[in-house]
Amino acid sequence: MTTDVIPRIPASAPADEAALDELLSRPLPGVGEALAATGGDVVLLGAGGKIGPTMARMARRALDGVGSSAKVIAVSRFSDAAVADGLREAGIEVQAADLADPGAYRALPDAAALFFLAAMKFGTTGAEHRTWWSNAAMPALVADRYRGVPSVVYSTGNVYPLTPLSHGGSVETDPPAPLGEYAQSCLARERIFTHAAHTWDTPATLFRLNYACELRYGVVADIAVRIAAGEPVDVTMPAVNVAWQGDVAAWALRSVELAGVPPHVLNATGPETVSVRRLATWLAEDMGTEVTFVGTESDDALLNDSAECHERYGYPTVPLRRLVRWVAEWVSGGGRQLGKATKFQQRQGNF
């Protein structure tokens, strides 16, 4: 049994959160086969965050689609009990654990494949100590607990330097040059798993993501919420790459098949470099309103070239322009607005 049919993507935005979560977690071709090939249970650490529930649901659906009875185990603090309940209803085993506590690791489940999603992504200013503990100390604890287990480690395009707009995005062979403590701590996470690969023969994929988006959060939703509130959009950070979260989840799950020693580095985002001004203009048009701008565009930006990812796993199933329309429909229709305004414009790299 295979899952080689690309799911049909609707023209209109999902009507509610249940429909949105169903669409986000539809498995794409190859996901079930890649997970089943690991030969055992799939563990997602940090599964209570933004992308974790999507990945866990997709993993369960994909394994079911290829007739695998392997468990999908979601591990997180689960401060929102509704998230844990929803995962259980989807057939996912849930285990509450505080990964910041070194004493929690003895009780973590064994795995045939590990997806490490836990990190501090925002709000690093004034909390640098917590950022480094989350992004550097915790990876050391995880790498020790899961020695030898094929691992996909979420990272970020922030480990690259800003690049001129005319140059295009950074590619996997570009040397890291992280700007700011958040980005530096993310490179530390990568280095720790690289050490584990060489020391304990732990195959790994370093999944460098730029801007996973859906209708409740992400760069596009951030801009839409500002427009809806009548606030100006800052264009100081002039351009971004974005991709539909469902595609990102599928690429990440499949990338376990790339895990190796030394780790395989894979950039992940959409194929376009799109200006923030263009995104905001599209959104305003689709929302039937006006947009104003502040700031002066820089000549460089944090951009990510994900050509290898697309060659391996295909282009996004939700094109950029459709994603923008969906977000406009969602925000205009009073959807659950979880976007946090303009985090993407923090040049220290909190995204």
Side-chain angles (χ1 to χ4, degrees):
M1 190 173 184
T2 63
T3 55
D4 57 357
V5 177
I6 296 176
R8 183 178 179 275
I9 304 300
S12 298
D16 52 33
E17 291 204 60
L20 173 57
D21 288 332
E22 188 282 324
L23 180 60
L24 283 167
S25 64
R26 289 183 189 178
L28 294 183
V31 173
E33 290 82 356
L35 295 178
T38 65
D41 296 340
V42 174
V43 171
L44 298 95
L45 298 183
K50 290 180 177 178
I51 201 167
T54 293
M55 287 185 63
R57 289 188 177 95
M58 184 180 291
R60 180 70 274 157
R61 294 174 70 177
L63 285 167
D64 290 343
V66 296
S68 173
S69 60
K71 294 179 182 178
V72 176
I73 306 172
V75 179
S76 177
R77 286 176 298 176
F78 290 113
S79 53
D80 184 349
V83 174
D85 291 341
L87 291 176
R88 291 189 187 95
E89 291 172 3
I92 296 154
E93 187 173 306
V94 171
Q95 181 170 330
D98 183 358
L99 297 176
D101 177 6
Y105 286 78
R106 292 187 299 272
L108 292 183
D110 292 338
L114 176 72
F115 294 86
F116 181 48
L117 316 177
M120 177 167 286
K121 301 179 178 67
F122 300 109
T124 63
T125 302
E128 290 82 359
H129 59 288
R130 290 196 294 117
T131 298
W132 282 91
W133 184 262
S134 297
N135 293 347
M138 278 169 41
L141 298 171
V142 172
D144 180 50
R145 170 63 180 84
Y146 289 97
R147 297 185 185 192
V149 177
S151 301
V152 174
V153 180
Y154 258 72
S155 187
T156 170
N158 283 59
V159 300
Y160 296 119
L162 297 168
T163 59
L165 300 183
S166 59
H167 174 76
S170 297
V171 298
E172 288 88 347
T173 54
D174 288 346
L179 176 65
E181 291 204 44
Y182 164 76
Q184 292 162 7
S185 71
C186 291
L187 182 60
R189 177 173 54 218
E190 291 192 6
R191 298 304 195 215
I192 287 164
F193 275 94
T194 301
H195 174 80
H198 289 288
T199 304
W200 300 317
D201 200 31
T202 302
T205 300
L206 304 178
F207 191 76
R208 291 177 177 169
L209 172 65
N210 274 32
Y211 299 126
C213 293
E214 49 121 298
L215 310 189
R216 295 166 291 195
Y217 69 83
V219 172
V220 183
D222 290 349
I223 297 172
V225 170
R226 289 196 71 88
I227 294 171
E231 299 174 358
V233 173
D234 192 338
V235 296
T236 304
M237 179 65 79
V240 292
N241 314 115
V242 301
W244 171 244
Q245 180 173 294
D247 293 307
V248 171
W251 298 337
L253 291 168
R254 284 201 64 178
S255 73
V256 71
E257 64 195 10
L258 304 178
V261 178
H264 188 101
V265 177
L266 186 68
N267 289 351
T269 192
E272 307 93 347
T273 294
V274 59
S275 76
V276 171
R277 190 179 293 271
R278 174 69 63 84
L279 279 176
T281 300
W282 280 341
L283 284 164
E285 290 174 354
D286 293 340
M287 295 165 69
T289 189
E290 301 292 328
V291 61
T292 58
F293 299 97
V294 295
T296 301
E297 284 98 335
S298 173
D299 294 328
D300 55 18
L302 190 70
L303 300 173
N304 187 327
D305 185 322
S306 54
E308 180 190 345
C309 182
H310 301 147
E311 289 170 4
R312 289 181 179 277
Y313 303 136
Y315 287 96
T317 59
V318 179
L320 174 62
R321 191 65 184 92
R322 183 177 298 187
L323 172 59
V324 171
R325 291 193 185 98
W326 283 2
V327 171
E329 288 183 47
W330 185 269
V331 173
S332 297
R336 186 181 175 195
Q337 298 174 12
L338 299 183
K340 302 298 183 183
T342 63
K343 282 195 168 76
F344 70 97
Q345 293 163 346
Q346 298 177 26
R347 298 192 57 151
Q348 290 300 311
N350 294 341
F351 42 85

